[in-house]
């Protein structure tokens, strides 16, 4: 009896050889190898045995034709390039996503969808199904990505609650309202009575939810909620907002900041003004992505587990890719944690 294994030096075994050894047609062998449908259990077993015997390595391009899969997932970030590559939030998100994709040998495709032509180009790319699904993070009110992706039927998960279309897409979010409320209550518990806030961009749900949490805590304590400035989650915007707040409200004794990067800018302004932290002004940030440990003084902040959230969102996305008719999109809300350091 002769061996069916391809002799050394004879080249890689072919699909035709697999079909011959398995006793099935070439089309059946292709479907069995590449995950297609309409293959009987008996034929599948015969093809699996032939693949192992011959040492056959499937062709990824052929698999894609059969399964209509690209084995790639897009991470869509509607932000300018410089912010994506300087903010630790995005680095943490990408680490979490890639950790899960690597388990399945799936490629990560980063799409920077800035407003305008870049967004239109990104939507064309996604509509043409160059990826199997999309994870969208740091989205804004006007990009309407949730509605667009739901309309084209591409499996997607959002990092954070979308402004619109949230009933049609899955998302993973931190409880921003609860986190900022707890941060504000911490300052109230310290005895602060004039507490301002540096909120994030008004066109992002995370920023609006955090502002809502601050207002709820202030109102519940019977304190004025008029000391508000907005930034864009960057250090420079936090500095500008803090300067404006201190000019309008020089009596502030507490400051709740919607991101650690903005808090870094605020701490710089307070130092320039000779205001001691936390003795004169107590400060709390939001994120806890490493920046807060290096400030002077170290920053009390609200931790959102960015990498864990990214991992959960990616696993949820892969479930929807594997089962596109899984039913109603899932919402996952993760509780934040207050991390006490020296600034409050």
């Amino acid at each position: 009896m002769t061996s069916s294994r391809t002799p050394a030096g004879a080249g890689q075994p072919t699909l035709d050889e697999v079909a011959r050894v398995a006793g099935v047609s070439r089309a059946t062998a292709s479907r069995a190898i590449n995950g297609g449908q309409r293959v009987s259990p008996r034929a599948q077993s015969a093809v699996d045995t032939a693949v192992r015997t011959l040492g056959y390595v499937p062709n990824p391009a052929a698999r894609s034709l059969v399964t209509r899969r690209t084995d790639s997932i897009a991470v869509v970030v509607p932000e300018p390039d410089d912010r994506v590559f300087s903010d630790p939030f995005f680095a943490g998100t990408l680490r979490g996503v890639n950790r899960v994709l690597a388990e399945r040998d799936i490629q990560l495709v980063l799409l920077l969808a800035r407003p305008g032509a870049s967004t239109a180009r990104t939507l064309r790319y996604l509509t043409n199904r160059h990826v199997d699904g999309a994870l969208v993070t740091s989205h804004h009110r006007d990009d309407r990505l949730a509605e667009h992706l739901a309309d084209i039927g591409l499996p997607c998960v959002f990092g954070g609650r979308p402004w619109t279309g949230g009933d049609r897409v899955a998302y993973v979010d931190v409880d921003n309202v609860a986190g900022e409320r707890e941060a504000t209550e911490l300052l109230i518990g310290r005895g602060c009575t004039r507490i301002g806030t540096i909120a994030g961009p008004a066109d992002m749900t995370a920023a609006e939810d955090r502002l809502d949490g601050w207002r709820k805590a202030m109102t519940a304590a019977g304190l004025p909620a008029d000391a508000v400035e907005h930034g864009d989650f960057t250090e420079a915007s936090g500095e500008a907002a803090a300067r404006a707040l201190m000019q309008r409200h020089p009596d502030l004794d507490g400051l709740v900041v919607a991101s650690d990067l903005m808090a870094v800018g605020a701490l710089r302004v307070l130092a320039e003004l000779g205001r001691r932290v936390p003795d004169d002004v107590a400060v709390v940030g939001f994120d806890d992505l490493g920046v807060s440990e290096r400030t002077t003084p170290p920053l009390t902040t609200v931790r959102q587990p960015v990498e864990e959230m990214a991992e959960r969102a990616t696993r949820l996305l892969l479930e929807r890719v594997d089962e596109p008719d899984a039913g109603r999109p899932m919402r996952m809300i993760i509780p934040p944690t207050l991390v006490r350091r020296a600034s409050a």
Side-chain angles (χ1 to χ4, degrees):
M1 178 177 179
T2 59
S3 172
S4 57
R5 182 178 295 277
T6 302
Q12 293 295 326
T14 66
L15 182 61
D16 288 326
E17 291 177 84
V18 172
R20 177 179 56 78
V21 170
V24 299
S25 70
R26 190 180 192 278
T28 298
S30 176
R31 289 196 300 273
I33 290 169
N34 295 307
Q37 300 176 348
R38 305 188 310 279
V39 180
S40 69
R42 180 178 179 182
Q44 184 71 57
S45 177
V47 172
D48 291 343
T49 300
V51 166
R52 288 193 299 271
T53 301
L54 294 169
Y56 176 77
V57 178
N59 184 326
R63 180 182 183 277
S64 179
L65 287 173
V66 173
T67 64
R68 301 184 186 277
R69 294 279 187 90
T70 65
D71 286 336
S72 60
I73 292 293
V75 175
V76 182
V77 187
E79 295 287 355
D81 303 12
D82 55 350
R83 185 173 170 221
V84 173
F85 295 114
S86 63
D87 190 328
F89 171 85
F90 297 107
T93 296
L94 292 173
R95 278 195 300 270
V97 172
N98 200 52
R99 188 177 297 127
V100 174
L101 295 184
E103 297 172 0
R104 295 265 300 263
D105 198 25
I106 295 175
Q107 180 65 44
L108 185 156
V109 178
L110 179 60
L111 301 178
L112 303 183
R114 290 175 294 177
S118 179
T119 299
R121 184 170 61 249
T122 297
L123 287 173
R124 284 197 302 271
Y125 183 88
L126 297 173
T127 301
N128 290 332
R129 300 291 180 131
H130 294 298
V131 292
D132 297 326
L135 192 151
V136 184
T137 187
S138 196
H139 36 90
H140 297 257
R141 189 197 311 265
D142 293 338
D143 59 41
R144 306 183 73 85
L145 283 168
E147 294 178 0
H148 288 305
L149 296 180
D151 286 344
I152 65 176
L154 182 73
C156 64
V157 174
F158 278 64
R161 176 176 60 85
W163 275 109
T164 58
D167 57 334
R168 303 173 64 193
V169 298
Y171 63 83
V172 176
D173 203 1
V174 70
D175 192 337
N176 289 293
V177 176
E180 205 76 320
R181 185 174 58 229
E182 186 176 2
T184 308
E185 290 170 347
L186 172 67
L187 298 189
I188 294 170
R190 283 181 55 93
C192 297
T193 58
R194 197 71 177 98
I195 304 170
T197 188
I198 299 176
D203 67 341
M204 298 184 71
T205 57
E208 286 299 283
D209 287 349
R210 291 173 195 178
L211 180 58
D212 184 41
W214 173 81
R215 284 184 173 137
K216 280 182 165 62
M218 296 293 283
T219 301
L223 297 175
D226 58 336
V228 181
E229 284 287 337
H230 287 269
D232 63 3
F233 289 142
T234 64
E235 191 173 323
S237 74
E239 183 172 346
R243 205 175 300 281
L245 269 179
M246 296 308 294
Q247 287 175 353
R248 289 193 295 111
H249 305 281
D251 59 336
L252 288 184
D253 58 4
L255 191 56
V256 176
V257 189
S259 82
D260 289 349
L261 282 181
M262 292 198 298
V264 170
L267 289 173
R268 185 180 302 117
V269 170
L270 293 174
E272 290 175 5
L273 296 175
R275 307 296 295 274
R276 297 169 301 164
V277 177
D279 299 331
D280 298 326
V281 182
V283 180
V284 183
F286 204 114
D287 283 331
D288 198 36
L289 293 172
V291 175
S292 53
E293 300 171 6
R294 300 191 296 272
T295 59
T296 304
L299 185 66
T300 294
T301 189
V302 178
R303 174 183 295 156
Q304 60 167 336
V306 170
E307 291 192 34
E308 177 192 343
M309 291 166 63
E311 288 184 15
R312 292 194 185 192
T314 307
R315 295 190 193 283
L316 183 56
L317 176 59
L318 293 180
E319 289 175 9
R320 301 200 72 81
V321 169
D322 292 338
E323 298 182 46
D325 300 322
R328 184 177 177 81
M330 179 183 294
R331 285 89 171 163
M332 189 180 299
I333 307 298
I334 296 175
T337 305
L338 184 65
V339 181
R340 299 287 298 272
R341 297 194 180 95
S343 70

